[in-house]
């Protein structure tokens, strides 16, 4: 590698201006595409699965073989009105009625009403009241079905309309000021997630750059030097975004990729630039020869950052084999970004150094670092002397107490590894990403109702032959539905009963039979009184079957007493409206036939729809479904478990199996890389083990902070992302230290001398780079989303622990103990030297 880098140095020394021009041209070409990169970012996890997945195929079946229901719970906007007392409850009901009365005032750009289905724009769904009288009233927002309207994109306009109507309502009822109406539901969550991501980027970007500017400026005592690495990596970042825009035309790229990409490239890329610049400054101060200093920086620091960059590329690149495109495209994007950051550090940064020389450290000049110069006095000199004393002492401590340090590290790591391996993870992507008004609405729902009520699961069964037929009543003209396979209907009801036995299942909906409901109500109440029977029937139903049934009974031009007394006569009409309206049946009648070959069972959970408990409930329901299909193999033609939570369940099963393979592959590839570069049998394993130790400590700390203290479950992606990023980025400091030790040994130092000298010379660089990268990742903690906050804390903690503790104390201690065995490898000489101490010279 040294020979190759020496040739790179020759090219840079001769053609620096050409290299800079090439980067500028690449930037100018990429900027128009980079500015549009946000257009390809996805916010829907459903789009991240492979097309062959059962959950996505189930959504296709529901979209093609089931009627479009205006009360599709997974795609409606939901108005949540929070109230404080009984009076507030009445006002909340009145406000919803007020909105419904004037819903036709909400118009599109051409003046057409956007709301209205069945005469309603806001349908009162439920009320939930706590013991103290506070609670929420829920209303479904019913759109008129305009195909050109995106519910998610319309969220902002709808909120403005609701806010304006609320001001009018308060003018009429001043007491309504105590109400808090918020809009939530899947479309609103998607809208707030996209807006929150943009706002987070607007906050994180300047904080990341400012952190780097301050730390690099303090380290080099120059604001010119502090600006150069971010600018160089900024070139690479813009070009990467341009490439992502192109890739996004063919692959699904999740929005957090851009955020992680920014902090990873800025953190790692600026580290690489600092390695080059610091080595150049060190050699320039020693020799005063600009060309020699730059060449040595490119060759020796270049070897470190090339190896480090390769390990990062391997770490994130293996994510590309994941079948879940959220993970695979993140890995591909990060790998591209690190490649470009590495190229910028190896070509653009040295080219700038070649042109500017020591002027890049302006207003500080090289002579000011000489003994008695400005840089050796004042706060900078004091910090420099403190750093020298600290790293000298840390090296001596690592050598003197090597065994104690290693034993202590093992003692801490064992329980940490247990916590990291056994702590429960959450697949609740919605809770992890929710922010803004929709997040407030979901918090209200969690407090007063079932958290999973607006994210149902669907169990869809296809039968080989119709289980019911649809037609038209010859007298009234209403549609009719007649059940033709009684045994299948009862079997579905038994399956629904088994599913509802799960304590985490809030309600189960499915095929409805008016005649059976009436008979069951009469038996349960002991009376044939129509009002009592209807009240019992509606109370037994739940979700959108209940909404459709109540709407139907209030709108039919026939007294309810007649519908009850002549239940068998009116059953075909009621069954048609309820089953079609609630989306419980589908089939060939959608395409002009008359058969019903599909049945849909819908259920929601008490806990958040994607919580660990709800994931188990989905697995249990899937098991019951499979047993039903097996028992009715002669009738059933297919089955699908679908819905947003079911999609995440499928991810948890499929990706969970892949994660182990991805982690093992990343470790093996990095072991091979380190073996080739270091030509040592022990260093690769020691490097991997110390990185894994840092990761176990980090996962334990993250679990304690978020799960124990804050009550926020750890997201399922965190351990994998932490592992691959730390295997790469955390390896930076290990490689920088180890290659410096190797360089010292090659130049004739003993093992102990080489370690001591390397710790002294790289300690400050590793520390400042750790602070920069940790600070860059730490800026994610200012995000409004729990997901990014967790990523920020974990990555910041891991990098800081690795740079400040592991590389400063533990790695030197282990290498002191290993002595000459650090360098045992293929083609090595002098392996027969006695190693009674770590200070004997090793022949390489």
């Amino acid at each position: 590698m040294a020979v190759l880098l020496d040739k790179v140095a020759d090219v840079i020394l001769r053609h620096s201006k050409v290299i800079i021009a090439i980067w500028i041209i690449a930037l100018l070409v990429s900027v128009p595409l980079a500015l549009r990169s946000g257009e390809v970012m996805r916010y829907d996890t459903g789009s991240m699965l492979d097309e062959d997945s059962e959950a996505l195929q189930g959504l296709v079946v529901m979209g093609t073989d089931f009627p479009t229901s205006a009360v599709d719970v997974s795609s409606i906007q939901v108005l949540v009105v929070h109230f404080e007392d009984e009076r507030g409850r009445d006002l909340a009901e009145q406000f919803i009625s007020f909105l419904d009365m004037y819903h036709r005032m909400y118009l599109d750009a051409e003046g057409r009403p956007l709301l209205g289905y069945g005469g309603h724009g806001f349908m009162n769904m439920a009320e939930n009241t706590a013991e103290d009288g506070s609670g929420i009233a829920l209303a479904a927002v019913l759109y008129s079905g305009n195909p050109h309207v995106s519910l998610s994109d319309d969220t902002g306009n709808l909120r403005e309309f609701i806010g304006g109507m609320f001001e009018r309502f308060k003018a009429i009822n001043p007491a309504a000021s105590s109400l808090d109406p918020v809009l939530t539901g899947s479309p609103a969550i998607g809208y707030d997630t996209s807006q929150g991501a943009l706002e987070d980027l607007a906050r994180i970007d300047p904080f990341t750059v400012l952190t780097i500017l301050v730390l690099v400026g303090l380290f080099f005592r120059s604001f010119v030097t502090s600006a150069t690495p971010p600018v160089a990596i900024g070139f690479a970042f813009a070009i990467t975004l341009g490439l992502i825009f192109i890739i996004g035309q063919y692959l699904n790229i999740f929005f957090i990729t851009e955020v992680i990409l920014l902090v990873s490239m800025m953190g790692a890329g600026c580290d690489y630039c600092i390695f080059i610049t610091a080595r150049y400054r060190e050699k320039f101060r020693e020799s005063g020869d600009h060309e020699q200093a730059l060449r040595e920086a490119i060759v020796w620091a270049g070897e470190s950052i090339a190896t480090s960059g390769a390990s990062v590329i391997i770490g994130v690149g293996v994510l590309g084999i994941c079948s879940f495109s959220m993970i695979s495209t993140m890995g591909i994007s990060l790998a591209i970004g690190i490649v470009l950051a590495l190229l910028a550090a190896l070509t653009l940064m040295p080219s700038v150094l070649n042109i500017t020389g020591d002027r890049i450290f302006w207003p500080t000049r090289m002579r000011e670092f000489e003994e008695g110069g400005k840089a050796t006095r004042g706060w900078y000199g004091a910090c420099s002397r403190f750093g020298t004393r600290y790293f000298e002492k840390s090296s001596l401590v690592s050598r003197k107490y090597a065994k104690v340090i290693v034993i202590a590290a093992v003692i801490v790591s064992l329980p940490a590894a247990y916590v990291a391996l056994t702590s429960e993870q959450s697949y609740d992507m919605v809770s992890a990403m929710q922010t803004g008004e929709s997040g407030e609405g979901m918090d209200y729902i969690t407090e007063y109702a079932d958290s999973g009520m607006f994210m149902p699961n669907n169990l869809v069964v296809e039968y080989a032959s119709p289980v019911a037929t649809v037609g038209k009543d010859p007298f009234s003209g209403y549609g009719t539905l007649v059940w033709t396979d009684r045994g299948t209907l009862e079997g579905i009801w038994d399956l629904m009963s088994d599913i509802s036995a799960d304590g985490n299942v809030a309600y189960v909906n499915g095929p409805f039979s008016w005649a059976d409901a009436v008979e069951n109500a009469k038996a349960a109440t002991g009376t044939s009184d129509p009002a009592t029977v209807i009240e019992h029937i509606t109370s037994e139903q739940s979700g959108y079957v209940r909404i459709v049934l109540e709407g139907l009974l209030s709108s039919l031009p026939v007294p309810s007493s007649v519908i009850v007394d002549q239940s068998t006569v009116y059953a075909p009409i009621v069954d048609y409206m309820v089953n079609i309206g609630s989306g419980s049946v589908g089939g060939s009648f959608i395409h002009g036939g008359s058969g019903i070959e599909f049945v849909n069972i819908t259920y929601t959970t008490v806990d958040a729809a994607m919580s660990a408990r709800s994931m188990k409930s989905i697995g249990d329901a899937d098991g019951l479904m499979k047993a039903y299909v097996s028992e009715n193999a002669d009738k059933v033609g297919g089955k699908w478990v679908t819905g947003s939570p079911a999609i995440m369940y499928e991810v948890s099963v499929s990706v969970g199996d892949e994660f182990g393979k991805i982690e093992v592959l990343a470790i093996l590839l990095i072991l091979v890389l380190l073996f080739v570069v270091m030509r040592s049998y022990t260093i690769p394993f020691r490097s991997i083990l110390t990185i894994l130790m840092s990761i176990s400590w980090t996962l334990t700390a993250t679990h304690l902070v978020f799960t124990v203290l804050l009550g926020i479950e750890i997201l399922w992606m965190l351990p994998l992302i932490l592992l691959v990023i730390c295997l790469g980025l955390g390896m930076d400091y290990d490689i920088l230290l180890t290659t410096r030790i190797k360089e010292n040994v090659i130049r004739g130092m003993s093992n102990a001398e080489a370690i001591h000298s390397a710790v002294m010379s790289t300690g400050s660089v590793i520390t400042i780079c750790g602070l920069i990268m940790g600070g860059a990742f730490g800026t994610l903690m200012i995000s409004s989303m729990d997901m990014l906050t967790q990523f920020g804390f974990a990555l910041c903690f891991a990098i800081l622990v690795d740079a400040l503790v592991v590389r400063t104390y533990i790695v030197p201690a282990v290498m002191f103990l290993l002595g000459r065995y650090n360098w045992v490898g293929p083609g090595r000489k002098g392996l027969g030297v006695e190693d009674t101490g770590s200070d004997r010279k090793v022949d390489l």
Side-chain angles (χ1 to χ4, degrees), residues 284-288 358 364-377 380-381 385:
F284 195 97
R285 286 165 61 184
E286 290 178 2
S287 66
D358 68 341
T364 304
R365 303 303 296 265
M366 281 297 179
R367 62 176 178 272
E368 295 177 17
F369 290 100
E370 297 173 359
E371 190 66 33
K374 285 184 179 179
T376 63
R377 302 194 301 268
Y380 189 86
R385 289 188 293 274

Side-chain angles (χ1 to χ4, degrees), residues 627-664:
Y628 172 82
V629 170
S630 178
E631 293 169 3
N632 298 273
D634 56 327
K635 295 182 178 181
V636 176
K639 73 93 180 173
W640 298 268
V641 178
T642 188
S644 296
I647 288 174
M648 284 312 304
Y649 172 74
E650 190 168 331
V651 169
S652 71
V653 173
S654 61
V655 176
D657 295 337
E658 294 179 8
F659 277 10
K661 299 175 184 176
I662 291 172
E663 292 165 351
V664 169

Side-chain angles (χ1 to χ4, degrees), residues 468-693:
T469 58
V470 298
K472 183 176 289 188
D473 182 74
F475 301 104
S476 64
Y478 286 115
T480 60
L481 183 151
V482 178
W483 295 104
T484 57
D485 189 339
R486 181 75 185 179
T488 295
L489 185 60
E490 291 178 350
I492 285 291
W493 287 342
D494 289 339
L495 177 58
M496 292 168 59
S497 178
D498 292 339
I499 293 171
S500 65
D502 185 331
N504 188 42
V505 171
Y507 72 77
V508 182
N509 284 332
F512 176 82
S513 168
W514 175 251
D516 286 278
V518 170
E519 291 305 313
N520 293 337
K522 288 179 178 179
T525 60
T527 179
S528 297
D529 174 58
T532 304
V533 170
I534 288 176
E535 181 180 357
H536 179 81
I537 292 174
T538 54
S539 66
E540 287 292 302
Q541 306 307 312
S542 53
Y544 292 90
V545 168
R546 178 172 181 172
I547 291 174
V548 174
L549 181 60
E550 289 178 341
L552 169 65
L553 294 176
S554 64
S555 62
L556 278 175
V558 179
S560 10
S561 58
V562 175
I563 300 175
V564 172
D565 293 338
Q566 301 181 39
S567 59
T568 55
V569 174
Y570 286 95
I573 296 174
V574 176
D575 289 354
Y576 177 89
M577 293 187 174
V578 173
N579 285 291
I580 301 297
S582 63
S584 296
V585 295
S588 57
F589 74 94
I590 295 293
H591 309 289
S594 61
I596 288 179
E597 294 87 7
F598 292 88
V599 167
N600 172 35
I601 298 174
T602 302
Y603 73 93
T604 62
T605 55
V606 176
D607 284 4
M610 298 179 188
S611 66
R613 185 184 178 196
S614 295
M615 290 292 105
K616 182 179 183 303
S617 295
I618 295 172
D620 293 343
D622 186 34
L624 292 171
M625 175 72 117
K626 289 176 180 175
Y628 172 82
V629 170
S630 178
E631 293 169 3
N632 298 273
D634 56 327
K635 295 182 178 181
V636 176
K639 73 93 180 173
W640 298 268
V641 178
T642 188
S644 296
I647 288 174
M648 284 312 304
Y649 172 74
E650 190 168 331
V651 169
S652 71
V653 173
S654 61
V655 176
D657 295 337
E658 294 179 8
F659 277 10
K661 299 175 184 176
I662 291 172
E663 292 165 351
V664 169
L665 180 60
I667 290 172
L668 288 176
L669 290 176
I670 292 176
L671 277 173
V672 171
L673 171 69
L674 294 176
F675 177 75
V676 171
V677 174
M678 297 297 175
R679 296 179 62 219
S680 165
Y681 295 129
T682 57
I683 287 176
F685 290 99
R686 191 266 306 147
S687 297
I688 293 292
L689 288 174
T690 51
I691 289 289
L692 293 177
M693 179 177 64

Side-chain angles (χ1 to χ4, degrees), residues 125-433:
M125 298 166 59
E127 293 168 0
N128 295 79
T129 307
E131 293 182 0
D132 63 358
S134 64
I136 54 173
L138 303 172
V141 182
L142 306 182
Y143 278 75
S144 59
N146 187 331
H148 303 293
V149 175
S150 165
L151 270 61
S152 180
D153 294 342
D154 191 54
T155 299
N157 294 330
L158 181 58
R159 282 177 175 158
E160 287 184 15
F161 172 74
I162 293 173
M165 297 304 293
F166 186 51
E167 292 301 319
R168 293 188 181 188
F169 184 73
K170 286 191 295 183
I172 302 170
N173 299 281
S177 298
S178 62
L179 301 179
D180 183 19
V182 293
L183 190 69
T184 188
S186 293
I189 290 173
Y191 174 84
D192 285 341
T193 299
S194 64
Q195 295 299 307
L198 293 175
E199 292 172 4
D200 284 347
L201 275 173
R203 288 194 299 267
I204 291 170
D205 285 6
F207 268 97
T208 301
V209 174
L210 181 62
T211 300
I212 293 170
L213 289 173
V214 170
L215 292 174
V216 177
L218 291 174
F219 181 70
F220 286 105
R221 202 170 178 265
S222 165
F223 56 80
V224 175
T225 314
S226 71
T228 308
V231 170
I233 303 306
F235 275 53
F237 180 65
I239 295 169
T240 304
L241 288 184
L243 293 174
I244 284 178
F245 174 77
I246 296 172
I247 295 171
Q249 308 302 316
Y250 308 97
L251 300 174
N252 294 322
I253 301 177
F254 204 51
F255 77 95
I256 63 169
T257 297
E258 184 176 359
V259 183
I260 299 294
L261 182 68
L262 170 71
V263 294
S264 297
M265 287 186 68
M266 279 296 172
C270 288
D271 276 6
Y272 300 154
C273 292
I274 291 169
F275 291 168
I276 294 283
T277 307
R279 191 60 179 267
Y280 168 76
R281 184 179 69 170
E282 176 187 338
K283 293 303 174 182
F284 195 97
R285 286 165 61 184
E286 290 178 2
S287 66
D289 187 325
H290 161 73
E291 184 173 321
Q292 179 186 343
L294 185 58
R295 181 181 295 277
E296 188 153 343
I298 294 171
V299 172
W300 287 104
E303 180 181 357
S304 297
I305 67 174
T307 306
S308 300
S311 68
V312 179
I313 293 164
I314 289 171
V316 297
V318 294
L319 294 176
I321 68 173
C322 183
S323 61
F324 190 42
S325 63
M326 175 195 293
I327 299 297
S328 62
T329 55
M330 181 189 296
I332 293 169
S333 301
L334 286 173
I336 292 172
I338 296 300
V339 167
L340 288 170
L342 182 60
L343 288 174
L346 283 173
T347 61
L348 181 57
M349 189 69 200
S351 296
V352 173
L353 283 170
N354 189 37
I355 292 173
T356 60
D358 68 341
R359 293 190 299 276
I360 198 170
F361 303 111
W362 189 86
T364 304
R365 303 303 296 265
M366 281 297 179
R367 62 176 178 272
E368 295 177 17
F369 290 100
E370 297 173 359
E371 190 66 33
K374 285 184 179 179
T376 63
R377 302 194 301 268
W379 65 269
Y380 189 86
C383 291
S384 179
R385 289 188 293 274
F386 172 79
T388 300
R389 290 194 302 270
Y390 175 79
F391 291 113
E392 181 177 17
K393 187 173 182 180
S394 72
S395 176
L396 296 174
V397 168
S398 297
R399 183 179 184 184
K400 184 176 181 180
Y401 301 104
K403 292 181 180 179
V404 175
I405 291 172
V406 172
I407 291 171
V410 171
I411 291 173
V412 173
S413 298
L414 290 176
Y418 175 80
V419 173
L421 293 172
T422 59
S423 54
E424 200 170 63
Q425 298 164 16
S426 170
Y427 286 82
D428 191 355
M429 292 291 290
V430 173
S431 296
M433 294 188 300

Side-chain angles (χ1 to χ4, degrees), residues 42 202 266 358 371 458 497 595 698 756 824:
R42 303 295 182 92
M266 279 296 172
D358 68 341
E371 190 66 33
N458 302 98
S497 178
T698 300
H756 180 73
V824 173

Side-chain angles (χ1 to χ4, degrees), residues 56-68 590-591:
L56 289 187
Q57 289 180 345
L59 290 179
V60 172
V61 169
M62 294 192 70
T64 57
D65 295 301
F66 280 78
T68 301
I590 295 293
H591 309 289

